[in-house]
Amino acid sequence: MEDSVSVGLLGVGVVGSGVIDLIEQHQAKLAHQLGCNVHVKSALVRNPNKARDVDAKTNGTLLTTNSDDVLNDPEIDVIVEVMGGIEEARESILKAFKAKKHVVTANKDLVALYGAELHEAAAENRCDFYYEASVAGGIPILRGITDGFASDHIEQLMGIVNGTTNYILTKMHNEGVGYEEALKEAQDLGFAEADPAADVEGLDAARKMAILGRLAFSTHIDLADVEVTGINGIDLIDLQYGDNLGFTMKLIGFAKFDGKQVEVNVQPALISKDHPLSDVKNEYNAVYVYGEAVGEAMFYGAGAGSMPTAAAVISDVVAVIKNMHRGVTGSQFVEPRFEKELKTEAQRFGQYYVRFYAKDEAGVFSRISSLFNEFDISFKQILQNPLKDADAAEIVVITHKSSLEKMHQALEALSKLDEVIDTKSFYKVEGDAEE
Ligand SMILES: NC(=O)c1ccc[n+]([C@@H]2O[C@H](COP(=O)([O-])OP(=O)(O)OC[C@H]3O[C@@H](n4cnc5c(N)ncnc54)[C@H](OP(=O)(O)O)[C@@H]3O)[C@@H](O)[C@H]2O)c1
């Protein structure tokens, strides 16, 4: 067994600095667990003279702008990719596998798009490829799913996997402010990027749900299979009506598998206040897992940040080194077992929230109710508010369970009804007793 394992870093930014720092701080613990020291030998950066949160040089780490110093150093066994981006990160990882080095990454964008190709390259070269930090930062959810649920059948996952959108929705809910104001505050506090599109449009959460779905259901899920709706069109009034009816608005990543067919989507949904996900506030993340044997389990914690993410990265480095010592390439995230088959809208069931304006006349509501009945949809909760200065009312309904196909057909028919002025919003309802 080697006395010391050398790690090469690609990137010393928010996450990379945390990796250097944590490895230094916990040398004794790592040595106790692994029977060897772990040392970050060199690190690729764009600008070696930039001021950093960690003093790499005092830790004995060489900062370099030449990727060969890291990827082709024969003393380095493990590459940690924390530079972000897609093409360059992908090429570097493929090079690392060719050089027979194990790879750990935090890069969800890359894993969501090229996970299959990278797994293949890892297997061909008998290398490990781990990416715990790519989903929900510091929460050990990938290992939780693959190891903790190894003998279980995971039926359903629901995740709050984007801290920015959760922060914005919490602020809107708690303080009654609109979307734009909440977004601006999130940007001022550093919880949202100057260009927040990937977060607020749901793409970041979609990437994480593709990774989670693949591992939970052992089927290949492409990013394009994940239906995405962001929070950018959200109206405060729907959070407020939802609140009155016993629900909290969250951006929910949802994945379901019945042993044959799968559905994965990301959308703002109204979640029952009785469900544990409704209490996940601010920038926190959580993943709720329903397993046939285990029942309900929820993983909660920091979804980003230097130290939480670095801790997840290092847990992968530890797994790699243990595998090296045992002489196995563990690749815990194994080949999919099932062919992918996506559920159609007719096979997807749920409860729904609909808000619309209708003429305030006698008999209107019973006509609307009959229309929904024609599609086998009945109402569980109803709210009706007269609109100021108009002969109209705002109506909010929460339906009993229906197929998504029938729900879309009912909404189409609703929009054609003379008594209906406008359909304002439509959201899925999750975590109600009917689920
Ligand atoms: N931040 C989080 O909380 C978090 C959480 C989960 C996952 N992640 C993922 O972790 C990865 C890293 O995120 P981060 O926040 O640490 O990024 P970051 O702060 O922007 O750091 C990126 C680092 O990579 C270096 N770098 C980038 N492109 C390079 C290139 N072409 N050549 C050489 N060096 C290059 C930069 O060098 P310079 O320092 O010289 O500019 C910097 O040190 C991303 O994939 C991200 O999605 C981040």
Side-chain angles (χ1 to χ4, degrees):
M1 197 185 292
E2 294 151 271
D3 293 339
S4 176
V5 171
S6 293
V7 172
L9 270 187
L10 303 175
V12 187
V14 175
V15 183
S17 305
V19 170
I20 295 181
D21 211 7
L22 267 189
I23 287 184
E24 278 316 305
Q25 276 181 41
H26 295 287
Q27 267 306 318
K29 185 176 180 196
L30 292 171
H32 179 72
Q33 282 186 55
L34 296 168
C36 69
N37 292 314
V38 183
H39 173 237
V40 182
K41 188 175 176 204
S42 51
L44 178 74
V45 289
R46 270 185 298 230
N47 174 8
N49 301 318
K50 183 167 143 183
R52 292 175 196 280
D53 289 344
V54 71
D55 185 354
K57 284 179 195 139
T58 11
N59 289 326
T61 301
L62 167 82
L63 292 189
T64 176
T65 54
N66 180 356
S67 62
D68 283 340
D69 290 344
V70 185
L71 297 172
N72 285 327
D73 180 339
E75 285 182 13
I76 290 178
D77 289 310
V78 188
I79 297 294
V80 171
E81 185 278 303
V82 280
M83 63 189 207
I86 296 186
E87 265 321 308
E88 216 165 327
R90 171 174 165 255
E91 275 168 29
S92 302
I93 291 177
L94 290 172
K95 252 192 199 171
F97 288 142
K98 258 197 184 147
K100 309 293 177 203
K101 297 182 193 310
H102 307 290
V103 174
V104 169
T105 180
N107 193 332
K108 66 233 157 201
D109 311 9
L110 182 67
V111 179
L113 279 173
Y114 293 109
E117 179 196 17
L118 296 173
H119 270 295
E120 217 169 280
E124 263 169 30
N125 291 288
R126 303 192 59 75
C127 293
D128 275 341
F129 178 48
Y130 289 123
Y131 39 89
E132 180 64 70
S134 66
V135 178
I139 307 174
I141 182 63
L142 301 190
R143 209 160 267 115
I145 282 177
T146 49
D147 291 358
F149 284 78
S151 67
D152 204 345
H153 163 63
I154 297 177
E155 292 179 349
Q156 186 173 311
L157 290 170
M158 284 202 280
I160 294 176
V161 289
N162 181 272
T164 304
T165 46
N166 203 42
Y167 181 87
I168 292 170
L169 292 175
T170 305
K171 178 129 189 98
M172 289 174 73
H173 180 270
N174 288 354
E175 296 174 28
V177 297
Y179 168 76
E180 293 298 340
E181 190 179 336
L183 168 64
K184 187 171 180 314
E185 182 173 325
Q187 286 171 319
D188 291 346
L189 292 173
F191 290 127
E193 308 271 339
D195 176 3
D199 291 318
V200 299
E201 290 173 11
L203 181 60
D204 176 80
R207 288 168 174 154
K208 293 166 180 167
M209 291 310 296
I211 299 171
L212 276 174
R214 276 176 209 165
L215 296 178
F217 308 143
S218 194
T219 184
H220 190 77
I221 294 166
D222 290 308
L223 189 55
D225 300 326
V226 185
E227 261 181 38
V228 191
T229 311
I231 65 159
N232 39 339
I234 233 158
D235 192 328
L236 178 63
I237 193 84
D238 290 311
L239 274 79
Q240 291 170 333
Y241 278 130
D243 189 41
N244 289 342
L245 293 164
F247 299 91
T248 312
M249 183 77 82
K250 296 283 178 195
L251 184 70
I252 298 286
F254 182 85
K256 195 168 180 148
F257 182 55
D258 58 15
K260 196 167 177 327
Q261 287 159 322
V262 71
E263 94 175 82
V264 187
N265 55 65
V266 168
Q267 57 187 309
L270 286 163
I271 188 130
S272 163
K273 287 181 191 171
D274 293 333
H275 194 282
L277 281 176
S278 79
D279 283 330
V280 177
K281 300 207 167 87
N282 297 317
E283 72 279 20
Y284 279 90
N285 281 202
V287 180
Y288 165 94
V289 186
Y290 191 87
E292 206 174 76
V294 174
E296 294 175 277
M298 193 164 97
F299 298 75
Y300 168 89
S306 180
M307 287 305 184
T309 312
V313 166
I314 297 167
S315 76
D316 281 345
V317 173
V318 166
V320 168
I321 298 173
K322 284 183 177 167
N323 287 343
M324 282 166 59
H325 288 166
R326 289 192 211 109
V328 293
T329 50
S331 221
Q332 75 173 135
F333 308 139
V334 287
E335 277 288 295
R337 280 179 63 213
F338 301 102
E339 285 290 320
K340 175 177 66 187
E341 204 182 312
L342 297 175
K343 278 183 196 280
T344 63
E345 289 202 349
Q347 293 165 323
R348 291 165 55 182
F349 289 84
Q351 287 177 261
Y352 297 95
Y353 163 106
V354 188
R355 177 169 65 90
F356 53 93
Y357 290 172
K359 289 180 187 161
D360 202 1
E361 294 166 1
V364 168
F365 196 80
S366 86
R367 275 198 289 286
I368 290 167
S369 172
S370 321
L371 178 144
F372 274 86
N373 279 337
E374 282 169 30
F375 296 93
D376 299 326
I377 300 169
S378 55
F379 299 149
K380 186 170 185 185
Q381 294 187 75
I382 299 157
L383 274 180
Q384 187 166 353
N385 264 339
L387 285 171
K388 256 196 201 158
D389 307 325
D391 268 350
E394 186 166 46
I395 299 174
V396 174
V397 296
I398 293 199
T399 69
H400 286 290
K401 242 182 194 176
S402 122
S403 78
L404 181 58
E405 184 186 46
K406 287 208 165 154
M407 195 64 213
H408 277 148
Q409 289 167 351
L411 289 177
E412 173 75 23
L414 185 75
S415 70
K416 289 184 182 144
L417 216 61
D418 283 346
E419 293 85 349
V420 170
I421 300 161
D422 198 6
T423 304
K424 293 292 186 186
S425 48
F426 164 60
Y427 292 107
K428 189 146 184 241
V429 169
E430 297 285 2
D432 199 10
E434 282 187 25
E435 288 300 301

